[in-house]
Every structure is written in C-alpha cells, then in structure tokens.
Amino acid sequence: MLQLVSRREWLAAATAAITPRLWNQPVPLGRSDLRVTPLGVGCEEVRDARIISRAVERGINYFHCFKPLNGGDGNLAEVGRWIRPYRDRVVLSTGSAARTAEAFHNDLDAHLRLLGTDTIDLWYLSSRQKPEHLPAEVLEAARSARRAGKIRAVGVTTHSFTQLQPFLITIADIIDAAMITCNFSTWSGPAEILNGYPEGDQYKPVKQARSAGLGIVAMKPMLGGLGFVAKERKTWAGRLTPEQRKEALAAALRWVVANPGVDTAPVCVKSMEELDANIAALGTAPGQSDRQILAMTLQDIGPYYCRMCNQCEGTCRRQLPVADMMRYLLYHDGYNDQARARAAWHLMPGRIQAIRCQDCSTCTVICPSGVRVQEQITRAQTILA
C-alpha cells in the first residue's frame, strides 16, 4: 500500500539526509540521563596521557575501557588517573562478563578502585549473546549498584543483537544501552546509510530498540582498521597505498558517525596521530567519494570479514561456534592482537579446539554475505590452536 507523507515529514527526512550531526555535540544515550558525543575514544590501547587531554579539549566526552581478555588490569589505573582532571566533563564506561551477583560486585569494586572514581557512568554487562547470559541475580546486582550510586546506567555488549533484542526490551527497567557490531558492512549498503536511510534486516531490531528507549553504541566501527587476510595471506590494507587506506578509514568513520541509528562510536586509538586523523576525517561531510570507496572496500573484504549476523549458528555439522571463531580471527588479523585472539580461542572447550575443518569434505555452513567460512576457520585453527 502506498504510504503518503506530509511535506513537513518529507522536509525533515531530506534535511536529516544532508545535514550530518556534529561529532562533538552530545546526544542523549537512550533513556538514560547520559549525553554522549557521537565520536568517542576506546581507551584499551591508550598509553599517552596527551590523547585523553587532547580528546577532551576537542569536545569528545565518551571514554570506554575494558580489562584485557587475557587477564590483568590493563591500563585502567593509568586511564583513570589521566581522566581524573576532567571527570566531571566525561562519560566513563567499562564493565565485565560476570555471571553471578558476587562476581558482579567484585568486578565493579575492582574497576572503581582501579579507575579511582566513585561512580562509573555506564557499566556494561559484556559478552551477552543469549537471554540466559543475563541471569536474574546479575540484573538485580546491577539495580542494587545503581541505587547505591556506583553506576549511573547499565548497558550490554553483544555480538547477537538480533537474537537478544526482544529480551532486552522486556528488561527495559534496567538496561539503558547496547553496544553492538556496527560498521558499513553490517547494516546496509554505503549509499543507503549515507543518504540517512539505513535499511536491511540488521537494522530493524535497532529501530525497534531505539523506539523502546535503548541507546546504541557502535562496536567495531572501523572493521579492525581494514586489515584482513586474503587468499594471498597478506592484509588487504597492505595492498592499498597509504593515501587510499587513509581515505577508506576516514569514510568508514564518517559512515558510522552519520548513522542515525547510533548514539556514539568509541574508536580505539593508539596515538595522537590516530586521534587527530579521526577528528580531521569528521571535518568533511559524507559524500559520493565515500560511497565509492566503501563500495570498493566492501567488495574486496567481503569474503573475509564476518558480519556477525549469527545466521550460521547451529549450521555446522560438528557444532563449531563459527561466529565466535571468526571473531577471534578478527582480533588476530584485523586488530593485530595475537594475545587476545589466542586467549579467546583457548576459552573454548578442548573438544571444539581439537576439530579441524580440513577433515570435512564439504562445509555445511553457508554464509549469506559470501564469507569463505571453511577457508577462514581453517586458517584460525592453524594459527590460533
């Protein structure tokens, strides 16, 4: 049925399509009382206090940090010390994968101590792929911590948002935001999103969640810096000229910040140069050249980058957790973080680690995005086992 819209609605849509929001202008994060800048900083690899001060001076107010997957406290104490002079001007987020109330409170107290703060603005219940990963005792612990003033808002991190979203809406009294995989390969074609109208099955749950008051935080907005292993066993980004790679990364960042379905995108930075490059990239509005380079990039990395849609779940005849294994390979190839990749790999059951895809004559996993699943998992089994 043809759906008519008023001139006012049409003008509003047209304006949204051509007027990008400012990357350092805070917006509401869902139903919470937090306001976050569309561009944030992922602090896991920050080793220079000047990065924090420069980001704050340029107007960025969202800073996200986690403990390393392979143990230890990482740089939490340093980040907390560097942020302290600006604490009343920033939104600080962190979290843990605790599955019991006791572990939740222990992790929260440890983070408060390391970060040197009385309150964490946004606490994530991390790595929640299914409703059973959010047990009642952990949700009650989060409520208790919020009542005590230790946290201001609660989020989840998930690689299975489509599956988890209906449950999140039912616990809207406690969950304020979700950090989900969001980049130009996962939601829609580059042309559509840059016109302000993201479409596709991946975006429908996001629209529904936002209508219910859930904030959306982008995970993996830069696709691991566009570094993926192709059949030549060299990174795709390595085949680009430095200028081409810079243009592709800038276009990817403009895409996610222009996305009307995302409140903020914390982009990991390692140096002042990377921070300045991100800020400079957002000084230009998305345009036709972005559409072209993102379309070209998507064509090149398509067979190697897992979109994390989880449509492969349960399709492997040997019950391999394909999406998880592809993500661990991303840590290795995209983020050049071999320690994190191997730590995640070795958390899987020994039976799963021992399986080899090369023993199967045919693969039962068919990726709807055309990823060469057997080839990629075989590679993961070779370099991570």
Side-chain angles (χ1 to χ4, degrees), residues 4-36:
L4 299 178
V5 297
S6 69
R7 176 174 174 79
R8 178 178 296 179
E9 290 171 327
W10 183 87
L11 286 172
T15 301
I18 61 175
T19 306
R21 59 185 178 178
L22 296 177
W23 56 269
N24 59 356
Q25 180 175 312
V27 298
L29 181 65
R31 68 174 71 84
S32 75
D33 63 354
L34 303 176
R35 294 181 65 84
V36 294

Side-chain angles (χ1 to χ4, degrees), residues 171 228 283 322:
I171 53 174
F228 299 95
V322 173

Side-chain angles (χ1 to χ4, degrees), residues 161-313:
F161 184 68
T162 300
Q163 290 80 5
L164 192 63
Q165 178 257 30
F167 180 66
L168 294 180
I169 291 178
T170 69
I171 53 174
D173 65 312
I174 183 60
I175 302 300
D176 302 287
M179 178 182 282
I180 66 176
T181 305
C182 173
N183 53 56
F184 68 88
S185 79
T186 57
W187 282 13
S188 64
E192 287 74 19
I193 191 65
L194 291 175
N195 280 325
Y197 301 104
E199 298 295 342
D201 291 340
Q202 288 287 87
Y203 190 62
K204 291 176 183 176
V206 175
K207 287 182 177 178
Q208 295 167 357
R210 290 179 68 81
S211 296
L214 199 69
I216 299 296
V217 180
M219 182 196 305
K220 300 176 176 62
M222 308 292 279
L223 287 79
L226 300 178
F228 299 95
V229 173
K231 61 184 179 180
E232 297 90 346
R233 298 240 170 149
K234 59 189 289 190
T235 57
W236 171 81
R239 296 201 299 273
L240 294 177
T241 67
E243 189 59 33
Q244 287 174 323
R245 184 171 185 271
K246 180 180 178 182
E247 290 175 3
L249 288 170
L253 182 58
R254 285 192 286 266
W255 181 96
V256 74
V257 170
N259 191 325
V262 172
D263 296 311
T264 185
V267 179
C268 286
V269 294
K270 302 177 183 178
S271 66
M272 295 283 283
E273 290 74 20
E274 287 187 2
L275 176 65
D276 290 341
N278 290 342
I279 292 173
L282 295 173
T284 303
Q288 183 60 33
S289 62
D290 283 2
R291 295 181 177 89
Q292 293 171 345
I293 196 164
L294 292 184
M296 178 187 72
T297 302
L298 193 58
Q299 182 178 15
D300 279 5
I301 69 174
Y304 312 106
Y305 181 73
C306 174
R307 312 308 197 272
M308 300 179 195
C309 65
N310 285 284
Q311 294 187 45
C312 60
E313 184 175 0

Side-chain angles (χ1 to χ4, degrees), residues 25 62 65 80 95 128 130 137 168 178 185 233 241 249 298 311 320 323 363 371-372 382-383:
Q25 180 175 312
Y62 181 57
C65 49
R128 315 292 164 150
K130 303 175 182 178
E137 66 173 294
L168 294 180
S185 79
R233 298 240 170 149
T241 67
L249 288 170
L298 193 58
Q311 294 187 45
L320 290 181
C363 183
V371 174
R372 299 173 186 172
T382 301
I383 64 177

Side-chain angles (χ1 to χ4, degrees), residues 25-27 69 95 99 106 119 126 131 208 212 214 219 241 243 266 271 281 315 325 329 357 363 367-368 376:
Q25 180 175 312
V27 298
L69 188 65
R99 299 292 173 88
N106 288 340
T119 303
S126 61
Q208 295 167 357
L214 199 69
M219 182 196 305
T241 67
E243 189 59 33
S271 66
T315 61
M325 298 170 90
L329 186 62
C357 287
C363 183
C367 175
Q376 289 294 85

